[in-house]
Amino acid sequence: MTDADHPNCFHCDLEIDPSLDISVAILGQSRPMCCDGCAAVARAIVDAKLESYYTHRTKSSRRGEQLIPEQLKELSLYDHPDIQKTFVHAMEEHIQEASLILEGINCAACVWLNQQHLSRLEGVIKVEINYTSLKAIVQWDERKTALSKILEAIQSIGYTAHPYDPERRQNVLENARKDTLKRLGVAGIFGMQVMGLAISLYLDDGSMEPSIKHLLQRSSLILTLPVIFYAARPFFSGALNDLKTRRFGMDTPVALGISLAFLASLLTLILGQGEIYFDSVCMFSFLLLGARYLEVSARKRAADSADIIGRIRPLIARRIDARGEIHTLPALELKPGDRVVVRAGDTVPADGYIVSGESSLDESILTGESMPQFKSLKHRVIGGSLNIDSPITVEVSHTGNKTILSGIQRLLDEAQQSKPAIAQLADRIAGWFVLGVLSLASLTGLIWYLQNPGDWLSPTIAVLIVSCPCALSLATPASITTAIGHLMKHGIVVSRKNALESLHKLDVLFFDKTGTLTEGKLEIQEHHLINSDYAQSHFAISSAIEKQSEHPIAKAFARLPSEFIATSVRNHPGKGLSARIENTIWFLGTPHFINEQTGHVVELEPGTGTNGKTCIMLAHEAGIVAVYWLADTLRSDSIELIHWLQKQGIKTIMLTGDQAGAAQRVADLTGISTLFAAQLPADKLATMKSFQNQNGAKRVVGMVGDGVNDAAVLAASDCAIATRGAAALTTSGSDILLLTPKLIAIKTAIQTAHKTHAIIKQNLIWASSYNLLAIPAAALGYVPPWAAAIGMSISSLLVVLNALRLK
């Protein structure tokens, strides 16, 4: 055919729009195309070196768009603005960013492939994929491409992408774990039977009847089939996908080694001469599935809920319409200018300003302040903060992705996506490692084939099996998994694999104050009796007044015994309480509140109750009765831990949202010499980063915290430790979670990290030495495939046994 013979589209023969100028070089000439779809298919045919298709075809091809599966067409639904509301937000004009979850990610090579493939798409600005969480952050210019095109591109290379959802991500990892466990069980059960038969064959001194030997070999084949076609199927699926994309991952040498061993054994069984390697196939599959199970399990434990902010963000709002009626609706539908009612105990649905009412709000989600903040007319309130005392009416100023809470989420995402340096290294070397293994096996096979065509298969399989880094792969996860189990017994949960490595190298450890170094609850530290007539009753009176309040200050008094009953209790938000007890009106609150209600003030000795403590007074109309100073209680083992860390040469720093007075008091008690107070999340993040790269030197920095406001700085740290009772967001983003209330558990974690590092080093030295000796021996023909499999198994077993010493 020529263009003269083919005036229409060279691919599908349909008429070409004169305004289009699309062509593809085929068979040495530029051929016209009617659309981008036909051009894409034609280029794929040319790239696959199948141009002869156009010479031998008997009719025109289908159009490119006809080749697109129906599910890809359905992806266009994700371009609808209403669907994108929950997982896409605008970065700037025409620039969109989406959070996606990827299915099918098995190794660092998968991450590299997706990043490279998407980065080459026109209009895609940034692609970041977190191997641990399976979360992908993709930015694109909506003028040049659409989200559906990005999803289609991911699907075209064998992976699946969905809008990011924490539950779905958890299901993906859990299903992968269960699936791997089932395959591991099948490989183990059938592998044991095959190994039993193999031992009989190995021990044969030539006296075994040929019929018995053939029976054992056939039985081995039958028992190996479930391992090949079920247990090892993920390796073949991954290798097939690698071949389709022309980029090799870790599954390629694995699938090749298993295939060669199985096919060689099958051929031997058919011909009736040679060695069979069914036991090697089963053992190889079992050990690799075991390593993969450890990996999937670790990833599931490590999985943080990247959308945990969505769980603490309010879902419901009570909007006031133009007629003053209240309607319940999803908070997502609020718009700036709407007015909402926030009842006591409710969460503020969006950022805004109070237009009616006054109350105390818990804003620890942003500031880290241990005390609720009093808010009244025109005061700003933050979406996600908790209204404690009284109903308020709020006029919405910011919603959705423009709220302060969403800003914290973006800080968290940024820190998490930039964290895994080890994963970045794995991305860079994954392809080269696989190519090295394949090249070595190919070279071995070629040299042996040239010397003796009948003997090339055995050393080639041996090299593939020996060189596959089974022991190297197990060296780290086996040690870490054992260490994790050991720490779990001490109430320490390790949620990310690199946490122990970071603890081992720790240079600086930051501490939050409230709820971390302290118990997170106020206690009466001092009191001063003004009216001695109430020496025996002032505590009981204060307790009776506060028993009807849920305020943190009230809890400090409510724990005290009281025989009195308070009536007519009235809450004065941000100030205090008033109540009637035995015909006397009592007031309990701030010095300003007491002066406002009674006109009385009290002069105290200089220094009394200072150093960051909260002052509360008890009074009646006749005068002030008692003065109390409240402060957060220091954890009993905080001082011991700080002193031990300092002896280890680890610098300790306090990083808190509380004010300087309260922070300095705790620093003095614990012996911490460096502190940063009144820090907002962005301030904490900046302070953390300044220490990570101080004077151009990289330092390993850890963070211990419990509040949502610590989430971003915890994610940015090299090792994030969340204490018992930590907020959900803090827990989800942490590397280590303390289930025990003992802060000294951090000492146990660091000591275990040092031991784990030593054992990992021993394992790696052993595994590397083994490979350096075994690979040349296999290539030279001194190690048959069955011996290679046994040697690899022994190597792996020694690694695991050494790791078990951590117990």
Side-chain angles (χ1 to χ4, degrees), residues 194 202 217 220-221 224 227-228 232 236 252-270 274-285 456-466 784-789 792:
V194 174
Y202 292 150
Q217 290 176 335
S220 297
L221 168 63
T224 303
V227 178
I228 284 287
F236 295 107
T252 303
V254 172
L256 188 57
I258 292 175
S259 299
L260 284 176
F262 178 77
L263 293 175
S265 301
L266 186 61
L267 186 62
T268 294
L269 196 58
I270 294 172
E275 299 289 340
I276 64 170
Y277 312 114
F278 294 128
D279 55 320
S280 300
V281 170
C282 295
M283 189 184 306
F284 194 39
S285 300
W456 71 274
L457 187 59
S458 180
T460 302
I461 295 174
V463 169
L464 280 170
I465 294 176
V466 164
W786 63 266
M792 181 190 63

Side-chain angles (χ1 to χ4, degrees), residues 442-761:
S442 300
L443 182 63
T444 300
L446 178 61
I447 293 174
W448 274 90
Y449 184 81
L450 292 175
Q451 291 183 349
N452 191 342
D455 294 334
W456 71 274
L457 187 59
S458 180
T460 302
I461 295 174
V463 169
L464 280 170
I465 294 176
V466 164
S467 62
C468 196
C470 212
L472 284 170
S473 297
L474 286 169
T476 299
S479 302
I480 290 177
T481 303
T482 307
I484 288 172
H486 171 70
L487 290 173
M488 189 67 187
K489 294 178 180 178
H490 293 272
I492 305 166
V493 178
V494 179
S495 60
R496 293 185 184 171
K497 293 183 296 182
N498 60 344
L500 295 175
E501 181 185 359
S502 298
L503 275 180
H504 169 69
K505 299 177 179 178
L506 200 62
D507 296 312
V508 181
L509 189 57
F510 283 88
F511 287 88
D512 179 42
K513 181 184 75 68
T514 305
T516 301
L517 291 170
T518 67
E519 296 287 355
K521 58 184 180 181
L522 294 171
E523 298 281 358
I524 300 172
Q525 299 284 329
E526 297 180 48
H527 75 277
H528 186 74
L529 186 64
I530 304 297
N531 190 332
S532 58
D533 293 341
Y534 295 94
Q536 303 301 318
S537 61
H538 69 95
F539 279 126
I541 293 170
S542 298
S543 177
I545 297 171
E546 294 284 19
K547 281 187 184 297
Q548 299 186 39
S549 174
E550 291 299 318
H551 196 283
I553 288 178
K555 294 178 181 179
F557 288 95
R559 289 190 287 267
L560 301 173
S562 177
E563 67 277 15
F564 297 106
I565 297 176
T567 60
S568 303
V569 178
R570 181 186 173 191
N571 179 38
H572 302 262
K575 301 177 181 178
L577 297 170
S578 60
R580 180 182 295 274
I581 298 178
E582 297 181 353
N583 298 321
T584 300
I585 302 297
W586 289 90
F587 304 96
L588 185 65
T590 65
H592 176 74
F593 172 65
I594 298 299
N595 178 255
E596 183 180 81
Q597 297 295 322
T598 68
H600 297 293
V601 294
V602 62
E603 295 277 341
L604 298 173
E605 296 179 8
T608 306
T610 58
N611 198 10
K613 298 177 183 177
T614 299
C615 180
I616 296 295
M617 294 184 176
L618 174 67
H620 50 51
E621 294 180 348
I624 298 173
V625 172
V627 182
Y628 309 101
W629 286 273
L630 287 74
D632 204 349
T633 307
L634 196 68
R635 285 181 184 258
S636 59
D637 51 1
S638 294
I639 298 174
E640 179 186 353
L641 174 64
I642 297 300
H643 288 177
W644 182 84
L645 289 170
Q646 291 171 348
K647 287 182 180 178
Q648 301 302 307
I650 299 173
K651 184 175 180 62
T652 55
I653 301 173
M654 187 189 299
L655 192 63
T656 177
D658 275 359
Q659 299 304 309
Q664 188 62 57
R665 170 182 167 271
V666 174
D668 291 341
L669 290 172
T670 57
I672 295 177
S673 59
T674 305
L675 68 89
F676 296 87
Q679 298 268 298
L680 295 178
D683 301 326
K684 290 185 175 184
L685 190 59
T687 302
M688 168 73 70
K689 289 183 176 180
S690 70
F691 275 85
Q692 284 176 318
N693 296 282
Q694 197 170 47
N695 300 323
K698 172 64 178 174
R699 306 174 78 184
V700 178
V701 176
M703 174 71 189
V704 187
D706 74 320
V708 173
N709 62 299
D710 298 323
V713 69
L714 280 163
S717 68
D718 299 296
C719 185
I721 304 174
T723 57
R724 181 181 180 180
L729 177 59
T730 305
T731 302
S732 67
S734 66
D735 299 306
I736 293 175
L737 173 63
L738 302 183
L739 298 181
T740 172
K742 298 178 181 179
L743 200 62
I744 199 66
I746 294 174
K747 173 183 175 180
T748 303
I750 294 175
Q751 289 174 330
T752 302
H754 292 325
K755 294 177 183 177
T756 304
H757 174 79
I759 287 181
I760 288 175
K761 189 175 180 180

